Amino acid sequence: MDNRNSILTDTLPDQAIFALDIGTRSIIGMVGMPDGDRIHIVAIERAEHTKRAMIDGQIEDIDQVAKIAGQVKERLEKKLGCRLLKVCVAAAGRALRTESVTYEMELARAQKIDAESVSRLEAGAISEAEKQFMNREGRDTDRQFYLVGYTVSRYFLDNYMISNLIDHHGRVLKADIIATFLPTEVVESLYSAMHKIGLEVASLTLEPIAAINAAIPQNIRLLNLAMVDIGAGTSDIAVCRDGSVTGYTMAILAGDEITETIMKEYLVDFGTAEKIKSQIDETEELNFTDILGFEQTITREAIFSSIKEASSRLCQEISDKILEVNGGMPSAVFLAGGGSRLSGLKEGIVEHLKIDSKRVAIAGNNFKINAYSDEYDLENPEYATPLGIVISAGFNIVNDGFRVILNERPAKLFRGGTFTVMDVLMMNGYNYQDMIGRSGQNLVVSVNGKRTVFYGEKAEPSVLTLNGEEAQLSDQVSAEDWIVFVPASHGKSASAMLSDIEKPGAGKKILVNGIEAKEDLPLKSGDSIVIEIVLEKEILPEEDWYDEAEEEQVPYQEPVSAPQNIPGILTPPAQMTSTGIQIDKEQRLKLDGHTAASASSDAVFHKSNGKITFFLNDKPMTFPVKPDQRPYYLMDMLEYSGLDFKNLTGKVVLEVNGESSYFQQELKSRDRIMIYQVNE
């Protein structure tokens, strides 16, 4: 007795699963109900594409795919007498990108390794893998990919290989990983087609994963097995061993390769070629009409002969991909999908793999382990993917029962098992830089031979909460958890104009990279700037002059005016921890906007009214007398010493007239000041 009416009402029960297999040639819809340890398949519908809306498993015409999928949905709703609101789907394996990479992360100091550090290491490795294959393929770096899955091959701690980093002490972490990505457009086109017909995507997996879940049940995955789902546009391949799926890939050749060969050989349209291909095993002779209107009768042997080369290429491609993804010969191979029934295909794969013919079989016999039906023959290998989607959802391998909300929307989860916050973020298009942030680039130029740095802005850190509480990337996620993630904002790169260093004008000559600058211009990292003073009126005699107070003779040199003090280029911090002396910000005296000589000046300044001269690190420097007649202090000379107080590597020595001094020491005219660093 058919018990569908007793379990299905106007609305589909929560435990029911509606799956759509959106293939290159057709769309298959399947509805199942969990029944103990198996799935009861209660309805199946199928519709062919009326035109080529799919190419190699990828949606090209969203409206056309939505139209055909809508027809399948409506037929199922009519058959079941209820509305279908949620759907489980699988993304084609055509665009999968798999990359192996080694990534190293150095901590600030040797420390105990926790789960968060490992998560950041793995996130960095995944991001590096994405960059690597995008650069190799010459793709636009703005293109986004979803993380489908990744496997860590090996960990290293301080260059020592280790199986588990957690709780060990060290500084340099390294990981070898294999990561698999799917371009966002593959997933988004699938979601768009479903939304057009009023369906919410409840779960998403990959077609090769779905097919292997149907063809190779969990209880036999300890063996090294391969599954090949041969569709019209692609042949999806998955391999397993030791109880789990270890890899998946795809071959770019599939059933269409044979169809197109028949079209060219016999001058027929695509539909006629498909019919010829499907009838090869049914009769000795095939009758058809070519595009010119001529009736033709061809023997089966003649057709086999015409497709032999194409069939051989298909078998060779599938065999090569199996060996590549598995790393060698598997114990057995299962062939699924509509293309698996192509006459001679099984024998061709046996020949190219050089495997025992008893170790290659058409999938279908194992379907009954996980599913059954009262009215449908489920052993059809064409049902591998739709049945696999239902099984994956029904047994919580991937299902709507394990739902995670990310930024108020259901997150895309490609697989089952346990998830961390990092897994969820990367499965939904976020990358390492979104989690960590990137500081803006510094702009470094040379001014009169002195390195000058304009610093880029620091990144704003990301915001991450799990169920309303602050979270870490390594935190595990449970069903119905909700995550809020605000990506880190990257800091702006530094920018500067020539006028930020010195404004072009009369009385000076400014060279930028050897070319005189007549007007303001933007600076680039690596620019070399030379500032020269041109004396137009006053030319002083080349003779010694004397300070009236000290009467110390100083040889005269050509005077130049000092560049203005530029805030933000080199300003000593409020604390100099390397000397153990603290400076209060309010105690640091500024020059009230007056110009002063930079540390890179080689000039000697002549004495005149309203100015005072010191010798700093054996170079004479002239400053204007402060308006309130306040004295200069030793701390005023720090920013002209030439030291980078943000990157000190040793102890700073302060001396005035040969004696050790302190920051608040008052300076007198002609004092000889030494400020330098000693590396101990």
Side-chain angles (χ1 to χ4, degrees), residues 206-362:
L206 287 175
E207 289 181 356
I209 294 178
I212 200 172
N213 284 339
I216 305 179
Q218 188 69 40
N219 62 348
I220 62 173
R221 290 187 188 176
L222 288 173
L223 302 173
N224 181 199
L225 306 174
M227 186 285 311
V228 186
D229 183 9
I230 306 167
T234 60
S235 298
D236 293 325
I237 300 167
V239 297
C240 65
R241 67 162 65 88
D242 299 329
S244 62
V245 178
T246 57
Y248 25 81
T249 186
M250 52 82 63
I252 58 174
L253 301 180
D256 280 357
E257 183 80 4
I258 309 300
T259 305
E260 290 168 5
T261 299
I262 295 174
M263 289 175 63
K264 295 173 184 177
E265 182 70 22
Y266 299 109
L267 293 179
V268 294
D269 58 39
F270 190 86
T272 303
E274 278 282 289
K275 186 177 180 180
I276 293 172
K277 183 176 72 173
S278 64
Q279 292 178 346
I280 294 177
D281 283 335
E282 296 177 4
T283 180
E284 291 292 331
E285 293 184 341
L286 289 92
N287 301 307
F288 57 88
T289 303
D290 63 26
I291 61 173
L292 300 176
F294 294 113
E295 295 285 340
Q296 294 197 43
T297 300
I298 305 295
T299 64
R300 184 171 64 178
E301 288 72 18
I303 297 175
F304 275 133
S305 178
S306 66
I307 66 173
K308 183 177 180 180
E309 183 179 345
S311 181
S312 179
R313 285 198 306 270
L314 174 58
C315 294
Q316 183 68 62
E317 175 76 7
I318 290 173
S319 299
D320 290 345
K321 288 295 182 179
I322 290 174
L323 295 174
E324 178 185 317
V325 73
N326 191 59
M329 183 72 69
S331 300
V333 177
F334 290 92
L335 304 179
S340 66
R341 293 182 295 186
L342 180 65
S343 183
L345 183 72
K346 174 184 171 183
E347 291 75 15
I349 289 177
V350 167
E351 178 184 347
H352 285 89
L353 277 179
K354 296 179 174 56
I355 191 173
D356 190 328
S357 61
K358 294 181 180 180
R359 290 179 176 260
V360 179
I362 303 298

